[in-house]
């Protein structure tokens, strides 16, 4: 299988090349030339599989022989061996045909572990085979950073540098990154917001001349195709758990960068019967405005109680647009110029096509806090703020109560004690045992200005030999 850029430039790349490259040279994102398709009979035959074996079935066509089957199985098994729940992604019922899929049982308590445990192992495997070392540079609005660090901290061929917006992530999120004592792990708290951090990463990928000879940047943000690929699996897992593929299922996804819900779109395209995908946003609602009003204009970023969604530039939305515009790379390149300038409108045909599957909803801080309170009273179930936004969107946008609606629970409530307490919970939610000493550990991070030269000089000066 070959991979192409959403902006139409360059030659098709192999799976290994795409994993190591991240962003295409023309600024586009890599997608498969063709998606694998599964019949209803084939999907139904997977009903009794473990999560790991299901992942092997779905990921194998994308790898397409680049990794021997036995080695790929070992990588997948190793990646999910660190999860603290036997079901990996358990489903909890909160109402009539209403479910929450808990994606926070990995080592860093967030859905990012599903992709980044796998990506860390995958990168180390590929780099060892190539006798190569890389520098990972990533931006995080909270959860990607700790999951990436946890996935890469033991990798012998990787130096990892994670940028987070200074004082704009929760204390638990920050400490999960900054208390990791490893020579190859470096945290940068950058003055600004997540979009500033993400723009810094993209600019550095475009010009890597600041790196020592023989090193290149690799991506762990959701621009890396391998992350999207790994996230497709849990949509199939949920569907099979709820009577699919004979029964259609809907999903509500709290999202800022569009990667997690794009994985659901791909699952649908691959043959999974999905009735509805709900884009759940906080007050930074550019995705909701785009789908509901065709208004993709950037506005000042607001700091919210759901900080992982405080994003105005949703990188993975470009991957969906590529399909909506019939995979016309030059058209996407022009569209992205408009988006970068601050305002973009979709064509009528693209918007009509998007609305066949996607609906959207905006939930602000007040709505989120009320949802945490009400579900706690109704079901004695405590949610984090992002999951609460997803469930609020699910209840407002649900088209059919006879179709199971699954909200993706993207993080453990203990990661956001301030929001949970503000919703009326009497104490800070307890961290799981493996993180019980988090607040006792020493932190290590550098606070830097939003200055490309300063950030790149820091990275160049801290790469291990």
């Amino acid at each position: 299988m070959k991979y192409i850029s959403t902006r139409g430039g360059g030659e098709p790349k192999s799976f290994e090349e795409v994993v190591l490259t991240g962003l295409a040279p023309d600024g586009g994102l890599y997608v498969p030339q063709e998606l694998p398709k599964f019949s209803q009979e084939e999907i139904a035959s997977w009903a009794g599989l473990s999560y790991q074996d299901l992942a092997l079935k779905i990921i194998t066509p994308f790898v397409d022989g680049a990794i021997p089957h036995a080695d790929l199985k070992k990588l997948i098994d190793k990646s999910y061996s660190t999860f603290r729940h036997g079901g990996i992604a358990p489903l909890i019922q909160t109402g009539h045909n209403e479910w929450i899929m808990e994606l926070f049982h990995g080592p860093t308590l967030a859905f990012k572990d599903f992709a980044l445990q796998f990506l860390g192992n995958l990168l180390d495997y590929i780099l060892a085979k190539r006798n190569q070392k890389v520098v990972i540079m990533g931006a995080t609005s909270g959860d990607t950073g700790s999951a990436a660090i946890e996935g890469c901290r033991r990798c012998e061929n990787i130096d990892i540098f994670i940028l987070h917006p200074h004082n704009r992530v929760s204390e638990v999120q920050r400490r999960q990154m900054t208390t990791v004592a490893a020579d190859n792990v470096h945290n940068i708290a950058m003055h600004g917001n997540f979009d500033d951090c993400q723009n810094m990463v993209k600019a550095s990928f475009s010009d890597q001349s600041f790196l020592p000879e023989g090193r290149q940047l690799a991506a762990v943000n959701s621009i890396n195709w391998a992350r999207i690929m790994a996230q497709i699996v849990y949509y199939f897992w949920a569907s099979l758990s709820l009577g699919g593929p004979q029964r259609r299922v809907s999903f509500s996804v709290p999202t800022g960068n569009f990667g997690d819900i794009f994985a659901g779109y791909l699952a649908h395209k691959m043959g999974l019967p999905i009735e509805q995908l709900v884009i759940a946003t906080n007050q930074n609602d550019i995705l909701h405005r785009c789908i509901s009003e065709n208004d993709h204009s950037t506005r000042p970023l607001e700091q919210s109680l759901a900080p992982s969604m405080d994003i105005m530039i949703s990188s993975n939305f470009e991957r969906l647009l590529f399909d909506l515009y019939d995979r016309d790379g030059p058209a996407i390149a022009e569209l992205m110029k408009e988006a970068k300038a601050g305002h973009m409108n979709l064509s009528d045909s693209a918007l009509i096509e998007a609305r066949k599957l996607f609906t959207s909803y905006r939930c602000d801080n007040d709505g989120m806090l009320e949802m945490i309170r009400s579900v706690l009273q109704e079901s004695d179930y405590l949610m984090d703020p992002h999951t609460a936004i997803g469930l609020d969107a699910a209840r407002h946008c649900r088209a059919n109560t006879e179709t199971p609606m699954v909200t993706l629970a993207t993080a453990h409530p203990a990661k956001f004690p301030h929001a949970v307490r503000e919703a009326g919970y009497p104490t800070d939610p307890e961290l799981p045992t493996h993180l019980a000493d988090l607040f006792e550990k020493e932190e290590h991070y550098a606070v830097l200005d939003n200055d490309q030269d300063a950030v790149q000089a820091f990275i160049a000066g801290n790469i291990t030999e």
Side-chain angles (χ1 to χ4, degrees):
M1 180 180 287
K2 293 291 186 181
Y3 293 81
I4 55 175
S5 168
T6 51
R7 301 189 190 180
E11 294 298 314
K13 300 286 187 184
S14 69
F15 176 75
E16 279 193 8
E17 290 171 323
V18 164
V19 171
L20 292 176
T21 305
L23 200 64
D26 62 359
L29 280 65
Y30 285 113
V31 292
Q33 273 188 322
E34 291 184 8
L35 276 177
K37 300 285 177 65
F38 302 123
S39 69
Q40 302 301 287
E41 293 73 22
E42 188 173 9
I43 296 170
S45 74
W46 299 340
L49 295 181
S50 68
Y51 189 92
Q52 293 89 328
D53 287 342
L54 178 64
L56 184 63
K57 293 282 189 186
I58 292 165
I59 290 173
T60 294
F62 292 110
V63 175
D64 195 25
I67 299 171
H69 190 77
D71 288 353
L72 182 59
K73 177 171 171 48
K74 287 178 184 175
L75 287 172
I76 291 171
D77 288 347
K78 181 181 179 182
S79 299
Y80 298 108
S81 66
T82 57
F83 280 60
R84 303 175 325 281
H85 194 290
I88 309 297
L91 287 154
I92 308 296
Q93 189 164 12
T94 52
H96 171 65
N97 267 339
E98 179 183 272
W99 304 82
I100 288 178
M101 181 163 55
E102 293 184 338
L103 301 178
F104 52 70
H105 293 286
T108 72
L109 315 184
F111 80 100
K112 307 292 177 77
D113 288 321
F114 279 84
L116 286 162
Q117 284 293 300
F118 176 67
L119 180 57
N121 290 321
L122 178 64
L123 281 169
D124 216 31
Y125 175 90
I126 294 172
L127 293 169
K129 187 172 75 172
R130 292 180 167 222
N131 193 27
Q132 183 181 349
K133 292 190 175 185
V134 297
V135 176
I136 284 177
M137 184 180 180
T140 184
S141 56
D143 290 329
T144 289
S146 57
I149 287 168
E150 186 62 33
C152 297
R153 62 189 295 187
R154 298 176 186 87
C155 297
E156 297 179 2
N157 304 296
I158 291 171
D159 288 292
I160 181 166
F161 296 82
I162 296 294
L163 284 68
H164 71 267
H166 189 39
N167 293 329
R168 287 177 177 248
V169 300
S170 78
E171 186 177 6
V172 172
Q173 287 177 313
R174 188 191 73 240
R175 284 180 171 273
Q176 283 185 296
M177 295 185 282
T178 61
T179 57
V180 175
D183 291 340
N184 68 329
V185 172
H186 304 276
N187 285 283
I188 299 169
M190 199 177 87
H191 290 293
N193 57 43
F194 169 75
D195 289 339
D196 296 322
C197 295
Q198 185 165 251
N199 288 334
M200 181 73 70
V201 171
K202 288 181 178 179
S204 299
F205 269 84
S206 297
D207 181 2
Q208 302 185 24
S209 58
F210 66 97
L211 294 175
E213 188 175 352
R215 298 291 177 99
Q216 71 175 65
L217 290 179
V220 291
N221 281 52
S222 54
I223 59 173
N224 191 308
W225 166 255
R227 276 193 55 182
I228 302 293
M229 176 184 73
Q231 290 170 312
I232 295 169
V233 178
Y234 45 69
Y235 286 92
F236 281 86
W237 175 258
S239 172
L240 288 164
S241 300
L242 295 172
Q246 296 85 357
R247 190 185 193 193
R248 293 163 72 87
V249 178
S250 295
F251 295 89
S252 179
V253 187
T255 189
N257 218 12
F258 204 75
D260 205 14
I261 196 164
F262 182 70
Y265 165 79
L266 291 176
H268 171 69
K269 296 279 284 185
M270 291 163 66
L272 189 68
I274 294 177
E275 183 169 298
Q276 190 180 10
L277 286 173
V278 180
I279 301 167
T281 74
N282 64 9
Q283 53 260 51
N284 297 296
D285 60 351
I286 189 168
L287 290 170
H288 166 60
R289 285 186 284 111
C290 185
I291 295 297
S292 62
E293 304 168 22
N294 199 11
D295 172 18
H296 192 281
S297 58
T298 54
R299 296 177 182 175
L301 203 65
E302 293 184 35
Q303 194 166 357
S304 79
L305 292 171
S308 298
M309 296 162 68
D310 289 347
I311 296 170
M312 194 63 66
I313 302 170
S314 301
S315 293
N316 283 288
F317 196 50
E318 180 172 340
R319 283 181 159 123
L320 176 65
L321 293 175
F322 185 58
D323 272 9
L324 296 179
Y325 280 76
D326 297 321
R327 309 203 122 201
D328 184 342
I332 297 303
E334 285 302 312
L335 208 59
M336 290 302 100
K337 285 181 185 176
E338 294 175 21
K340 191 173 183 180
H343 191 84
M344 176 182 73
N345 293 112
L346 306 191
S347 68
D348 290 343
S349 59
L351 198 59
I352 289 168
E353 188 63 28
R355 287 172 175 170
K356 289 179 181 177
L357 183 64
F358 292 97
T359 49
S360 64
Y361 187 74
R362 175 192 192 273
C363 174
D364 61 15
N365 282 337
D366 291 340
M368 175 271 295
L369 293 170
E370 178 55 35
M371 183 56 58
I372 292 176
R373 277 191 292 268
S374 62
V375 172
L376 190 59
Q377 290 169 357
E378 293 165 8
S379 309
D380 198 28
Y381 185 82
L382 182 63
M383 298 181 292
D384 93 294
H386 306 82
T387 306
I389 287 171
L391 186 57
D392 194 34
R395 291 181 174 181
H396 277 91
C397 296
R398 190 172 182 178
N400 181 2
T401 56
E402 295 310 305
T403 300
M405 171 64 80
V406 179
T407 295
L408 274 55
T410 53
H412 192 288
K415 297 192 81 165
F416 304 94
H418 176 66
V420 171
R421 289 289 290 266
E422 196 161 325
Y425 196 70
T427 62
D428 287 354
E430 282 191 24
L431 286 163
T433 305
H434 75 286
L435 291 173
D437 62 347
L438 184 66
F439 290 90
E440 299 165 17
K441 293 180 178 180
E442 184 181 356
E443 292 190 79
H444 309 273
Y445 63 102
V447 180
L448 299 179
D449 288 333
N450 182 7
D451 178 270
Q452 189 167 321
D453 290 339
V455 171
Q456 291 180 347
F458 179 87
I459 292 173
N462 284 280
I463 293 172
T464 57
E465 293 298 325

